[in-house]
Amino acid sequence: NAGVTQTPKFQVLKTGQSMTLQCAQDMNHEYMSWYRQDPGMGLRLIHYSVGAGITDQGEVPNGYNVSRSTTEDFPLRLLLAAPSQTSVYFCASSPRERGNTGELFFGEGSRLTVL
Amino acid sequence: AQSVAQPEDQVNVAEGNPLTVKCTYSVSGNPYLFWYVQYPNRGLQFLLKYITGDNLVKGSYGFEAEFNKSQTSFHLKKPSALVSDSALYFCAVRGPGAGSYQLTFGKGTKLSVIP
């Protein structure tokens, strides 16, 4: 089972460049979300989606865009990368029937460095 | 607003000894509480959850957690630690009626089990 797949696993950008982190899940989950993980700060929610065509902001949305055109895919876009966006990014999904119990399925992460 | 505190950045325990990883929370209403584990260079994995019912919750890999409403705590425990339990542990909370994407994570506690 593939589960939640994130690409790329590693990326180095220069300040001002743009890129997209890809996230795909093959479990037909309605809920998808993006988190960033920074040392000593745990996981912070960037954006989330409750279904295709529906997205909303989390705790730290500035500098990031998302879209959800299909159930399977939830890409995260950095339009003008900044060193403060150096982090490890995790995509997570959850089925609606478990939506009220909070069990999330995580990808293995994408490590981004912005120089 | 909801919040989680994990007061210990690191916990060291000898193999075979019992372990406890502490978590306290703040949320309006009855909480939904979770523990996740992260092994090096991997995504987070769900361990266990408390929604309602028995205050002692059993989860994966022999872990359990005790919900204490009066102390607003949800400590993770295991009777006998294994070296393979060494990982980063995250406590998470959300309020009733919120979606799974509205989890708030603690900063994480690094557990080191010493052979």
Side-chain angles (χ1 to χ4, degrees):
Chain A
N1 293 333
V4 179
T5 303
Q6 292 183 232
T7 56
K9 293 191 185 305
F10 301 94
Q11 183 71 48
V12 178
L13 289 179
K14 294 181 179 179
T15 297
Q17 289 184 318
S18 62
M19 77 156 301
T20 299
L21 299 177
Q22 302 290 346
C23 176
Q25 52 92 9
D26 62 357
M27 299 173 283
N28 202 32
H29 286 174
E30 290 85 353
Y31 298 152
M32 296 187 74
S33 51
W34 277 102
Y35 291 86
R36 58 177 291 172
Q37 182 181 26
D38 301 294
M41 301 189 73
L43 276 76
R44 293 180 292 170
L45 182 64
I46 304 171
H47 285 286
Y48 64 92
S49 169
V50 300
I54 305 170
T55 64
D56 208 343
Q57 297 180 350
E59 179 185 357
V60 288
N62 292 341
Y64 307 95
N65 282 348
V66 292
S67 60
R68 184 100 180 266
S69 57
T70 66
T71 299
E72 294 79 18
D73 300 301
F74 191 45
L76 178 72
R77 298 182 183 85
L78 285 71
L79 299 179
L80 290 171
S84 61
Q85 294 177 303
T86 294
S87 187
V88 181
Y89 292 85
F90 288 99
C91 180
S93 71
S94 177
R96 183 183 296 274
E97 63 267 26
R98 287 203 184 103
N100 285 330
T101 65
E103 181 178 344
L104 297 174
F105 295 78
F106 283 84
E108 296 209 341
S110 298
R111 185 176 295 272
L112 175 66
T113 301
V114 183
L115 303 176
Chain B
Q2 57 197 33
S3 64
V4 172
Q6 293 182 242
E8 302 152 319
D9 292 335
Q10 179 150 354
V11 170
N12 297 323
V13 63
E15 186 176 23
N17 282 3
L19 69 87
T20 299
V21 181
K22 296 179 180 178
C23 171
T24 59
Y25 67 90
S26 174
V27 70
S28 296
N30 294 322
Y32 294 173
L33 294 157
F34 309 86
W35 278 101
Y36 284 81
V37 60
Q38 184 182 30
Y39 297 102
N41 300 313
R42 302 296 298 274
L44 277 70
Q45 298 177 27
F46 171 79
L47 267 184
L48 51 81
K49 65 187 177 189
Y50 171 83
I51 305 299
T52 187
D54 194 346
N55 288 344
L56 185 64
V57 178
K58 295 188 182 298
S60 307
Y61 314 121
F63 283 93
E64 57 190 25
E66 186 169 11
F67 171 63
N68 187 318
K69 187 172 184 177
S70 63
Q71 296 185 0
T72 62
S73 66
F74 189 56
H75 301 331
L76 181 70
K77 300 181 180 183
K78 188 174 183 181
S80 178
L82 300 173
V83 173
S84 57
D85 293 330
S86 298
L88 190 57
Y89 290 81
F90 290 95
C91 182
V93 67
R94 70 173 180 85
S100 62
Y101 43 82
Q102 291 169 307
L103 281 182
T104 296
F105 286 86
K107 296 182 179 181
T109 298
K110 182 178 180 181
L111 174 67
S112 294
V113 181
I114 304 162

